[in-house]
Amino acid sequence: MMNDLPRNRFYYELLKRSIVPGETGVLEIGAGSGLLSMMAAQLGAQWVVAVEGSPEMCRLAQENIKANNFETKIKVLNMISTDLTLKHLPRRPDILVSEIFGTLLLGESALDYIQDIRERLLKPDTKIIPQLGVQYAVLIECPTLESICSVDTWNGLNLSHVNSLKDTASCVFTKKYGFRMSSVPFKRVSEPIRVLDIDFAATKQGFAPLERELHVKAIEDGVAHAMLLYWEARDGDEVMSTAPWDTLDNFPRDMQWGQALQLIDGGHHSIPSDLHVRRGEEYRFVCCTSDDHVILQFNYEPRDATTIEDLDDIEAAIEEGEGDEEESRQHAAAAATTDEVNKEDDK
Ligand SMILES: C[S@@+](CC[C@H](N)C(=O)[O-])C[C@H]1O[C@@H](n2cnc3c(N)ncnc32)[C@H](O)[C@@H]1O
């Protein structure tokens, strides 16, 4: 990742814009090699505190910092950022910098950690680098992917039942399988969806529902084989993107982050089926996430399927029905009592 030169430039430019030589105090969380902290020192920061949770990485960062004669400028702390307190810092920092993104933007809990530091240790005007992030998803047609995930016939033999093994529930990471979407032919068949919109200077956990409906518009006729997930981190005009069309000549970035993919099941059959899409039409998906937004999952909902609103209506109707039932039970009990009383009176 240190050989992802556009990534290094992205951070260097952003640090350069905000560091006033001799004045600025910088906190880095997730320092790894120490590169971003050393950039801040090179740019003249007054002091830098670099926090790193792994003892091995911490040792490496210290060695790199020593090799570059920044020991007096950069203090490296081996701890998880949630244990950092004001007593570890010369004062509240002017800049918080971090690069703790995963294949999914929040896959390594960047929002949890940054929000924690923001709420406990930053000033209202501390600059957070990078400030914005968007997790995108887009439907793609990709016969190459399909060729390793589905089977139909061979030599007149029907093999389609093997497709019942097709995993259309999991979001998988390309780098784990050793390939990059930037070297695989595919076409985008939908508009990109902004799944998570994060302002690291303001967004708080709980900002998005754990389950929500997405209406995805097709921009091409085709088969939606998979949902492709990529992200962009942005600050002013500086952008760092994991979209495969942005990483064509960036092998290190694809091997560090790559993209995520979830195969699509087009129907409610026992065996996953293709989702054919037509340009201009909308397709309903339910996006589910874990409560920290570290995990994402997409489920296609065919046109006749029940919507989340329908489910809410059904639930409300059941509750109302239960209320009615209770009311009728009370009426019946009251009527029975009156009956008994009447009977007594008759005697
Ligand atoms: C992608 S690497 C960082 C790379 C480094 N900033 C650089 O540019 O070379 C992420 C590092 O952050 C550390 N890390 C992640 N979350 C952390 C946290 N909340 N507190 C401390 N360290 C953390 C991991 O141990 C890992 O070494």
Side-chain angles (χ1 to χ4, degrees):
M1 132 231 350
M2 280 155 287
N3 289 330
D4 177 348
L5 305 184
R7 179 201 82 119
N8 297 350
R9 261 198 311 275
F10 171 84
Y11 278 99
Y12 191 80
E13 274 309 310
L14 292 176
L15 286 166
K16 192 165 141 197
R17 277 177 207 179
S18 299
I19 288 178
V20 180
E23 292 182 15
T24 306
V26 178
L27 170 63
E28 178 180 12
I29 57 171
S33 63
L35 177 58
L36 304 185
S37 287
M38 288 192 286
M39 280 183 194
Q42 246 182 355
L43 288 163
Q46 188 192 45
W47 56 263
V48 182
V49 172
V51 177
E52 171 52 53
S54 139
E56 291 76 20
M57 286 313 297
C58 188
R59 243 190 323 276
L60 281 181
Q62 268 157 341
E63 275 161 20
N64 281 337
I65 285 162
K66 190 167 172 212
N68 290 285
N69 299 319
F70 284 129
E71 303 110 296
T72 53
K73 194 63 91 62
I74 306 173
K75 180 163 91 172
V76 187
L77 299 173
N78 178 207
M79 60 167 65
I80 201 85
S81 59
T82 46
D83 290 337
L84 186 75
T85 64
L86 269 181
K87 74 173 194 304
H88 296 111
L89 303 171
R91 56 181 164 82
R92 292 185 191 270
D94 305 295
I95 295 178
L96 170 69
V97 63
S98 63
E99 193 274 80
I100 45 176
F101 306 125
T103 299
L104 297 175
L105 179 70
L106 301 186
E108 294 183 6
S109 302
L111 181 58
D112 281 328
Y113 291 131
I114 294 173
Q115 183 184 336
D116 165 66
I117 291 288
R118 199 176 71 208
E119 291 175 350
R120 294 186 304 110
L121 304 178
L122 301 191
K123 304 176 289 177
D125 64 346
T126 297
K127 171 70 188 148
I128 296 182
I129 296 177
Q131 188 177 335
L132 306 174
V134 180
Q135 176 67 60
Y136 287 98
V138 68
L139 288 172
I140 58 162
E141 179 178 278
C142 182
T144 308
L145 192 62
E146 192 62 359
S147 74
I148 54 163
C149 300
S150 285
V151 62
D152 190 16
T153 59
W154 183 80
N155 206 21
L157 303 171
N158 180 348
L159 301 169
S160 62
H161 280 262
V162 175
N163 291 334
S164 58
L165 298 175
K166 188 169 166 179
D167 178 359
T168 57
S170 310
C171 211
V172 299
F173 298 163
T174 52
K175 66 172 183 181
K176 276 201 176 163
Y177 293 89
F179 75 103
R180 39 195 312 235
M181 286 306 290
S182 53
S183 64
V184 172
F186 68 88
K187 79 172 178 188
R188 284 172 267 177
V189 294
S190 80
E191 288 174 340
I193 314 152
R194 294 173 81 100
V195 182
L196 301 171
D197 244 296
I198 313 291
D199 178 348
F200 288 107
T203 305
K204 294 182 175 184
Q205 277 298 4
F207 67 102
L210 303 188
E211 194 171 307
R212 80 194 137 117
E213 251 174 57
L214 302 171
H215 296 269
V216 185
K217 191 168 183 183
I219 55 165
E220 296 264 2
D221 291 350
V223 179
H225 289 129
M227 195 67 97
L228 167 73
L229 288 100
Y230 60 94
W231 53 257
E232 272 180 17
R234 186 178 280 278
D235 208 311
D237 53 355
E238 294 294 328
V239 183
M240 179 167 67
S241 158
T242 64
W245 44 92
D246 291 326
T247 60
L248 285 167
D249 54 1
N250 196 336
F251 188 70
R253 185 169 301 177
D254 275 341
M255 291 302 106
Q256 160 70 9
W257 289 313
Q259 298 80 32
L261 288 167
Q262 189 187 331
L263 300 176
I264 300 295
D265 180 3
H268 287 319
H269 307 289
S270 52
I271 299 179
S273 60
D274 283 346
L275 170 61
H276 292 267
V277 296
R278 288 177 69 86
R279 184 190 165 138
E281 288 196 5
E282 279 195 352
Y283 298 83
R284 192 155 56 86
F285 282 80
V286 172
C287 172
C288 302
T289 124
S290 52
D291 52 10
D292 54 4
H293 301 287
V294 165
I295 298 168
L296 289 172
Q297 190 194 43
F298 299 85
N299 293 307
Y300 169 62
E301 297 290 311
R303 220 173 278 279
D304 54 355
T306 311
T307 64
I308 292 176
E309 286 80 26
D310 289 342
L311 287 175
D312 288 345
D313 288 348
I314 292 168
E315 223 165 76
I318 290 171
E319 270 169 27
E320 211 170 274
E322 277 172 357
D324 289 349
E325 244 178 70
E326 183 53 30
E327 228 177 355
S328 1
R329 256 198 306 275
Q330 283 170 7
H331 279 149
T337 317
T338 318
D339 247 348
E340 288 304 320
V341 172
N342 290 343
K343 274 180 205 156
E344 288 290 328
D345 283 349
D346 286 345
K347 275 182 196 165

